[in-house]
Amino acid sequence: MGRSRRRARIAATSPAAANQQRAAARARTRAATEPAAPELRKILGAYLAGAIILAVLVLIGTLTLAGTLAPFLVLAVDAAAAYALYRWAQSRLAGLPLTDEDRVLQTLAGGLLVVVLAFAAIAAAILTVAG
């Protein structure tokens, strides 16, 4: 419904009903623009930080560990840690209202976990063939 129709409908009702409708509209707008809870941002920050730390550990493990099974060990540890981090974040974020910015952070962290896992798998395959 357009703004002009809504205003015409509100104007046609009684003043008390119009005030209630305006108050309800303001409350909906206020609820949509309120900042996220600090706990939510801490969870998302920890999720992203964990994904970044895992990426750094995979890089270090891939470059420093020697042996034919070392890349696969890095891949297995990465897969387990990525899955644990993903499950932890999903359990904490379940039921919380996420804004668009929160969803971007969540997608960024999840995407980084996927990229790190793909890097570990490709590195394991290349280092096995090259080694």
Side-chain angles (χ1 to χ4, degrees):
M1 179 181 294
R3 224 181 258 172
S4 60
R5 287 184 186 169
R6 191 176 315 127
R7 287 182 182 159
R9 188 176 42 107
I10 290 172
T13 60
S14 69
N19 287 338
Q20 287 177 348
Q21 288 178 351
R22 285 188 194 108
R26 279 193 297 267
R28 283 191 304 269
T29 304
R30 192 176 314 116
T33 58
E34 285 181 359
E39 177 185 337
L40 176 66
R41 292 294 167 100
K42 286 181 183 178
I43 294 168
L44 288 169
Y47 185 30
L48 186 57
I52 291 170
I53 290 170
L54 187 61
V56 170
L57 290 177
V58 166
L59 285 172
I60 291 171
T62 302
L63 295 174
T64 59
L65 293 178
T68 56
L69 292 179
F72 290 102
L73 178 65
V74 170
L75 176 62
V77 169
D78 174 43
Y83 181 72
L85 183 62
Y86 173 79
R87 294 290 296 173
W88 173 82
Q90 293 305 314
S91 68
R92 292 289 182 109
L93 295 173
L96 293 176
L98 297 176
T99 63
D100 290 341
E101 293 87 9
D102 297 335
R103 291 190 192 284
V104 167
L105 283 175
Q106 183 182 15
T107 303
L108 183 66
L112 183 58
L113 289 179
V114 171
V115 168
V116 169
L117 189 60
F119 173 80
I122 292 169
I126 290 174
L127 290 176
T128 302
V129 171

